[in-house]
């Protein structure tokens, strides 16, 4: 193979003043934009979840495209995918590319239906829909709690992305609180402030800056860097040599250059399971429901794969770093693959462009962190506070609780990252992916049929959750020896390694089918359905939808039916 070109890593012990200055300047720009975002598509009042939490449901195709792109392709994605490619290769890293390609045909099929029924009834969360579809508080609570808990570590991982940038820039080391954690506190204090005041409009505006920076940085990198390390032949050769080398700890190859024998099931189930799970997360649903029509959703399903193209290029930068000899060493002196992309940019580019790259990653954390905290807060406010604690809560009270909860969610994520090992956040995020997939039958299947019985869906969810959690606990990290060391386990009956979430999902569905068949045969009540067939095809310009939305906006009774049309009760 072509000899590896070695480029000495920069001294991570010092502050890169120019890069840090550019980072701070661009961060200041998006902070101002975040506070001014409340004027974007200005609402008469922000005292409702429709306005604060969903941006008034007014976003068109391009705003939704930037918002969803900023939401789905997070800072941690841009740190973790190339880091996985750098550390262990294609199975752990490159599966993200087919997964984001498979994802969009899936959402093209069901997300427009969810948008329609949500607009017709004023639903804000998937748990709202499940509550309306089955009139079952238990199943709705299961979906809500799963979404809320699964989102928490996802927010924490955005902090991991910012920490990686700050560490390479020279901040975050030592015992001095000013040098170590103050920059992170400041970043999330500002994020909390403008999210509280502007709601979903803040990340919608900031997403424009974030995505433009990401596209700029990745395209420049993919054009410039290969020529500096000997071309793509040298890059692939260096990656293959590293992946085939024996890991001294495990005694096995370091990773997979191309998925080989026995790895096909792992690669395929990771890709498919991740694609099915992503739009079950509250933040994905929130960004989708903020759009102004069902056709906006479909158009975005067609054009969002442009991000998958960029993600593929980004993943290859992990192998570029191998050829460049990048040494991602943290300020603690320990190797940390999560630092590989920031370190690569600091090593290979002028300081000012490294600062732009750092800003792209840091701002890339702010957008999804804002949306995730809003989505988690909406879920708590609508499906826990209102449903279980204060049934007569007004829209203004809902919004107030949601704003406060968004602050608490961010604070929890900050404490989680600063007090626990970063690997815990990664492990819990992997566990969150296993959990959130178990809500797929209750949400997606119910968009098309009520054949599934609510108790069957609840039992299937519970078994999937327990099995997935136990199996994930039993995965031991070969390096650290800790539990929750990964998301792959043996598939029962096949003897192949696969994504634990998919195995749990299959058990979930099988149980839901069997129990539903039995309960339906016994004619056990499946609850009442407040939706009607028209609801799943309604569009924004339908006069009935316009009338409903107007009524919902001025009607104070959360569970009434202001115009007496069956199946269009207002928001829960």
């Amino acid at each position: 193979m072509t000899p590896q070109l070695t480029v000495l890593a920069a001294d991570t012990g010092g502050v890169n003043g120019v890069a840090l200055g550019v980072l701070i300047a661009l961060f200041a720009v998006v902070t101002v934009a975040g506070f001014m975002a409340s004027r974007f598509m200005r609402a008469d009042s922000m005292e409702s979840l429709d306005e604060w939490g969903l941006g008034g449901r007014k976003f068109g195709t391009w705003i939704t495209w930037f918002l969803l792109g900023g939401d789905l392709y997070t800072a941690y994605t841009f740190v973790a995918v190339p880091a996985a490619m750098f550390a262990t290769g294609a199975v752990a890293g490159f599966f993200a590319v087919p997964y984001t390609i498979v994802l969009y045909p899936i959402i093209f099929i069901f997300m427009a239906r969810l948008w329609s029924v949500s607009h017709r009834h004023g639903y804000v969360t998937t748990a709202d829909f499940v509550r309306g579809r089955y009139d079952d508080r238990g199943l709705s609570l299961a979906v809500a709690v799963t979404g809320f808990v699964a989102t928490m570590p996802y927010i924490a991982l955005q902090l991991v992305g910012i920490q990686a940038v700050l560490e390479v820039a020279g901040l975050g080391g030592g015992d001095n609180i000013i040098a170590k954690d103050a920059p992170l506190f400041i970043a999330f204090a500002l994020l909390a402030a403008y999210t509280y005041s502007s709601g979903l409009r803040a990340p919608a505006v900031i997403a424009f800056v974030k995505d433009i920076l990401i596209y700029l940085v990745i395209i420049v990198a993919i054009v410039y860097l290969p020529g500096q390390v000997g071309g793509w032949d040298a890059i692939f050769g260096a990656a293959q040599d590293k992946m085939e080398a024996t890991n001294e700890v495990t005694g096995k190859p370091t990773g997979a250059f191309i998925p080989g024998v026995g790895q096909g099931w792992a690669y395929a189930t990771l890709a498919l399971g991740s694609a099915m799970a992503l739009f079950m997360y509250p933040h994905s649903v929130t960004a989708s429901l903020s759009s102004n029509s069902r056709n906006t959703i479909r158009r975005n399903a067609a054009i969002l794969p442009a991000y998958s193209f960029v993600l593929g290029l980004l993943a290859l930068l992990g192998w570029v770093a191998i050829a460049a000899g990048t040494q991602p060493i943290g300020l603690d002196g320990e190797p940390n693959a999560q630092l590989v992309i920031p370190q690569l940019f600091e090593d290979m580019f002028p300081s000012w462009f490294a600062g732009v790259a750092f800003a792209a990653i840091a701002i890339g954390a702010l957008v999804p962190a804002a949306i995730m905290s809003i989505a988690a807060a909406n879920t708590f406010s609508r499906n826990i506070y209102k449903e279980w604690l204060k049934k007569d809560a007004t829209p203004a009270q809902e919004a107030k609780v949601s704003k406060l909860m968004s602050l608490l969610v961010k604070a929890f994520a900050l404490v989680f990252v600063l007090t626990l090992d970063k690997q815990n956040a990664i492990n819990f995020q992997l566990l969150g992916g296993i959990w959130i997939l178990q809500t797929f039958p209750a949400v997606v299947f119910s968009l098309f049929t009520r054949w599934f019985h609510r108790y069957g869906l609840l039992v299937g969810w519970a078994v999937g959750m327990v099995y997935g959690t136990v199996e994930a606990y039993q995965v031991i990290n070969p390096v650290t020896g800790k539990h929750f060391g990964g998301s792959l386990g043996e598939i029962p009956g096949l003897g192949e390694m696969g994504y634990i979430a998919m195995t749990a999902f299959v058990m979930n569905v099988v149980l839901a089918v069997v129990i539903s068949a039995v309960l339906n045969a016994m004619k056990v009540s499946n609850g009442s359905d407040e939706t009607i067939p028209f609801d799943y095809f309604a569009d924004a310009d339908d006069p009935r939808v316009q009338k409903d939305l107007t009524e919902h906006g001025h009607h104070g009774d959360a569970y009434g039916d202001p115009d007496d049309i069956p199946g269009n009760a207002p928001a829960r």
Side-chain angles (χ1 to χ4, degrees):
M1 295 297 175
T2 305
Q4 178 173 308
L5 175 67
T6 301
V7 178
L8 294 178
D11 178 11
T12 56
V15 175
N16 187 331
V18 174
L20 187 59
V22 173
L23 169 61
I24 292 173
L26 289 173
F27 198 93
V29 169
V30 300
T31 299
V32 173
F35 281 111
M36 295 183 65
S38 60
R39 304 178 183 180
F40 178 61
M41 295 187 175
R42 186 191 292 271
D44 294 334
S45 171
M46 296 287 282
E47 299 304 313
S48 72
L49 292 187
D50 264 11
E51 290 296 343
W52 183 83
L54 290 179
R57 305 183 192 250
K58 300 173 183 176
F59 297 156
T61 298
W62 288 111
I63 298 173
T64 303
W65 185 71
F66 278 107
L67 185 64
L68 278 171
D71 182 22
L72 304 180
Y73 298 86
T74 69
Y76 188 70
T77 301
F78 289 111
V79 167
V81 170
M85 293 288 285
F86 175 84
T88 56
V91 174
F94 211 74
F95 85 91
V97 178
Y99 128 50
T100 58
I101 294 172
V102 171
L103 166 68
Y104 299 114
I106 295 175
I107 67 166
F108 187 91
I109 294 172
F110 79 83
M111 188 52 73
R113 293 177 69 92
L114 181 60
W115 183 94
S116 291
V117 72
S118 297
H119 264 55
R120 184 84 164 111
H121 292 268
Y123 298 149
V124 175
T125 68
T126 52
D128 280 353
F129 163 67
V130 170
R131 177 72 165 88
R133 187 66 153 150
Y134 294 101
D135 191 25
D136 191 291
R137 300 173 73 203
L139 184 59
S140 173
L141 181 65
V143 172
V145 170
T146 304
F148 184 86
V149 174
T151 302
M152 298 297 283
Y154 222 150
I155 301 171
L157 285 186
Q158 307 316 308
L159 287 173
V160 174
I162 293 182
Q163 278 186 321
V165 166
L166 294 176
E167 194 163 344
V168 173
L171 298 177
D175 298 324
N176 188 314
I177 185 65
I178 300 298
K180 187 177 181 182
D181 295 328
L184 208 54
F185 276 109
I186 293 170
F188 265 69
L190 292 172
L191 169 67
Y194 62 66
T195 302
Y196 187 92
S197 64
S198 301
L200 194 66
R201 288 170 170 83
V205 170
I206 296 172
F208 283 88
V209 180
K210 175 255 185 183
D211 291 347
I212 290 170
L213 288 176
I214 288 290
Y215 271 89
L216 171 66
V217 168
I218 300 306
I219 291 172
V220 169
I222 212 69
V223 171
Y224 173 76
L225 289 179
Q228 303 302 303
V229 297
W232 287 106
D233 183 58
I235 291 168
F236 290 133
Q240 186 171 8
D241 287 346
K242 177 178 180 177
M243 295 306 133
E244 291 177 351
T246 301
N247 185 309
E248 295 180 359
V249 177
T250 64
K252 298 178 181 180
T254 298
F257 178 68
I258 296 175
V261 177
Q263 296 175 317
W265 278 95
Y267 190 85
T269 54
L270 271 170
L272 179 59
S274 299
M276 293 170 63
L278 185 57
F279 268 80
M280 294 298 98
Y281 280 101
H283 60 276
S284 302
V285 173
T286 294
S288 300
L289 296 186
S290 68
S291 59
N292 61 7
S293 75
R294 61 186 280 125
N295 284 333
T296 296
I297 299 293
R298 290 179 166 179
R299 283 192 290 268
N300 271 274
I303 61 180
L304 274 168
Y307 282 97
S308 301
F309 172 72
V310 174
L311 182 62
L313 300 180
L314 179 73
L316 292 177
L317 290 182
W319 284 356
V320 171
I322 295 174
T326 303
Q327 301 295 320
I329 306 297
L331 293 173
D332 58 2
E334 297 295 325
N336 182 358
Q338 304 297 328
L339 306 179
V340 69
I341 288 303
Q343 190 65 60
L344 175 67
F345 278 96
E346 184 171 64
D347 291 346
M348 303 294 289
F349 284 100
S351 293
W352 69 267
F353 191 79
V356 173
F358 293 170
I361 297 173
I363 296 169
L366 299 180
V367 175
I371 303 172
M372 290 171 188
S373 63
I374 290 170
N378 288 347
T379 300
F380 176 86
S381 176
R382 181 59 67 89
N383 305 118
I384 297 176
Y385 171 73
K386 184 170 185 173
E387 184 69 50
W388 294 88
L389 302 177
K390 188 175 175 60
K391 285 183 174 293
D392 59 348
T394 65
Q397 289 173 327
E398 276 187 346
K400 182 178 181 179
V401 169
S402 196
K403 289 178 181 181
L404 294 174
M405 181 53 61
S406 74
L407 298 179
L408 290 176
V409 165
K410 294 184 190 73
F412 174 84
L414 189 62
V415 171
F416 186 94
V417 169
L418 295 181
T419 59
L420 297 177
D421 190 301
K422 294 182 183 67
Q423 188 60 42
N424 288 325
I426 297 171
N427 292 342
F428 279 114
Q429 196 277 328
L430 294 175
L431 191 58
I434 295 171
W435 289 341
I436 201 67
L437 183 57
Q438 307 318 309
T439 65
F440 190 96
V443 176
V444 177
F445 293 174
S446 299
L447 286 168
F448 296 89
T449 179
R450 284 188 88 246
W451 181 86
F452 287 89
H453 199 281
R454 53 182 173 163
Y455 298 146
L457 291 170
L458 187 59
V459 171
W461 166 84
V463 171
M465 293 284 286
V466 172
Y467 173 85
T469 304
V470 171
E471 285 296 303
Y473 176 80
Q474 293 175 351
V475 178
I476 307 296
N477 187 309
V479 177
T480 64
K482 294 182 178 180
H483 294 279
F484 295 114
S487 53
L488 295 177
E490 185 173 304
I491 303 173
L494 290 180
E496 300 280 356
M497 296 298 287
Y499 187 25
I500 293 170
M502 282 301 291
T503 305
F505 172 77
V506 171
M507 293 182 175
N508 181 344
V509 173
V510 169
L511 277 170
V513 168
V514 171
I515 294 174
S516 295
V518 171
L519 294 180
N520 288 338
M522 296 173 62
K523 300 188 183 305
V524 176
S525 171
N526 200 18
S528 60
D529 182 9
E530 73 173 21
T531 71
I532 57 175
F534 161 77
D535 295 343
Y536 298 90
F537 302 95
D539 209 344
D541 57 358
D542 188 284
R544 284 171 289 185
V545 174
Q546 292 294 333
K547 182 184 179 190
D548 292 341
L549 292 178
T550 300
E551 293 284 358
H552 297 159
H554 296 88
H555 190 64
D557 183 359
Y559 291 94
D561 194 353
D563 55 10
D564 296 323
I565 298 176
N568 71 335
R572 291 188 181 277

